[in-house]
Amino acid sequence: MHQTVQNLIQIKEEIKEEIIKNNIGDYEPNVIAVSKTFKIEHISHLIDFGHFHYGENKVQEALEKWSNIKQNNKKIKLHMLGKLQSNKVKFAVKIFDYIHSVDSKKIAQKIADEESKVNKKIKIFIQVNLGNEIQKSGINIDHTRELLDFCKSMKLEVLGLMCLPPFDEDPEDYFKELKKLNDSLELKEISMGMSNDYIKAIKYCSTFLRIGSSIFGKRN
Ligand SMILES: *Cc1c(COP(=O)(O)O)cnc(C)c1O
C-alpha cells in the first residue's frame, strides 16, 4: 500500500479515537487531502484508493492538475483553500466544487455572477480573520454576519466558516471561537484543522479537516 494511503488510513483511525475519547456522537468529519504543490502521480494513489476530497490553493495549478481527472471521475470534489483574486473567480468556479476563502462582498458577488453564467452551485465557506494582525486574509469577526447575509441575498450556498490560525500560537482558542460564531450564525459545517492541529479541531466538531503534509509528506 502506498505511503499516502497508509497515512490517510492512520489519520482516520486517530480521528475515530478522538471522537470516542470526546464522546461526540453522530459526527464524522470530512478529510480534505491538501494536494497543493504535489504532482498528480503522487496524488493518484489516494484517488485509486477511493478518496474524493482534495484541496488546492492556486487556481492555475488546480486547472492543470485536475481538469482531466475531474472529467473522468465525477465523484472527485475539489476545494479552493487559497486567497482568491477576483480576476480568477471565473476559472475557480469552473474547476472547484467548494471555495473556503470567501472574505469580501466583491468576491462573493463575482462568484454569484459566474455561477449564474455556467449554471453551477459552489459550496462556500466564509474565511474569518479571528483578530490576529499578522494574518491578512479573512473577514473581520464583526463583519461576518453582514457578509453572510450578503452571500445569502446573492443566493450563494454558504456551508459555514473557515479559519487559519497563526502558525505560532495555540489554535485551540481560535477553534473554540470559530465554533461559537458558527453556531451563533446557525451554520452547519465548519472548516478548520490542519496537519498539526486536526486532533484539536475535532474537539470543536470541525466537519472539514484540511490535511496536507501528514498525508502527502513535506512540501518544498
Ligand atoms: C496548505 C494548507 C493546508 C494544509 O496544510 P498542512 O499543514 O500541510 O496540513 C490547510 N489549509 C490551508 C488554507 C492551506 O493553505
Side-chain angles (χ1 to χ4, degrees):
M1 203 182 283
H2 194 260
Q3 187 63 49
T4 54
V5 178
Q6 286 182 37
N7 292 342
L8 179 68
I9 290 173
Q10 195 191 329
I11 286 166
K12 286 195 165 176
E13 280 304 316
E14 285 167 11
I15 291 170
K16 261 192 207 143
E17 283 168 23
E18 192 64 20
I19 290 172
I20 293 167
K21 207 171 107 189
N22 286 285
N23 204 7
I24 318 170
D26 194 23
Y27 160 64
E28 198 179 341
N30 297 285
V31 174
I32 302 169
V34 181
S35 52
K36 63 189 185 195
T37 75
F38 288 103
K39 291 202 161 62
I40 210 70
E41 296 83 68
H42 191 59
I43 306 165
S44 63
H45 306 277
L46 271 193
I47 300 173
D48 295 341
F49 177 66
H51 187 72
F52 299 135
H53 290 285
Y54 295 89
E56 294 284 340
N57 69 340
K58 293 199 175 85
V59 176
Q60 188 58 36
E61 184 182 342
L63 282 169
E64 287 166 13
K65 270 158 71 175
W66 291 99
S67 291
N68 278 337
I69 296 168
K70 284 198 80 195
Q71 225 148 44
N72 297 323
N73 190 339
K74 300 288 179 204
K75 287 186 176 163
I76 299 268
K77 301 295 173 203
L78 209 54
H79 297 252
M80 172 57 175
L81 308 177
K83 179 122 188 116
L84 193 52
Q85 287 156 343
S86 58
N87 61 342
K88 299 272 173 66
V89 168
K90 178 178 170 189
F91 305 102
V93 166
K94 208 184 248 173
I95 190 78
F96 288 102
D97 303 286
Y98 296 70
I99 296 176
H100 292 241
S101 48
V102 174
D103 64 354
S104 69
K105 288 184 184 174
K106 186 180 165 192
I107 290 292
Q109 173 79 61
K110 197 90 176 109
I111 294 171
D113 292 347
E114 294 301 332
E115 277 187 344
S116 63
K117 279 186 212 164
V118 293
N119 196 23
K120 178 179 174 186
K121 276 283 177 204
I122 306 290
K123 297 182 192 311
I124 303 279
F125 285 93
I126 292 176
Q127 184 174 357
V128 183
N129 183 347
L130 294 173
N132 194 288
E133 306 256 301
I134 310 158
Q135 188 194 336
K136 293 192 192 81
S137 288
I139 184 97
N140 189 291
I141 197 162
D142 299 327
H143 296 133
T144 305
R145 184 182 291 271
E146 188 187 331
L147 180 56
L148 174 62
D149 288 342
F150 180 80
C151 288
K152 285 180 180 167
S153 75
M154 291 284 118
K155 301 270 185 286
L156 291 178
E157 187 184 348
V158 181
L159 300 185
L161 304 179
M162 177 271 212
C163 78
L164 190 59
F167 300 112
D168 50 355
E169 283 181 50
D170 185 347
E172 189 150 348
D173 289 342
Y174 292 90
F175 292 163
K176 196 179 198 170
E177 196 176 356
L178 195 72
K179 169 68 173 158
K180 206 173 118 195
L181 186 59
N182 212 66
D183 287 347
S184 75
L185 296 171
E186 295 178 343
L187 292 163
K188 295 277 182 285
E189 311 289 339
I190 186 159
S191 167
M192 59 188 190
M194 301 165 48
S195 287
N196 289 329
D197 53 24
Y198 66 88
I199 290 293
K200 277 184 181 161
I202 289 165
K203 213 166 132 186
Y204 299 97
C205 296
S206 171
T207 62
F208 283 87
L209 307 167
R210 312 180 308 260
I211 303 177
S213 46
S214 288
I215 295 175
F216 293 111
K218 266 213 173 77
R219 285 182 298 272
N220 287 324

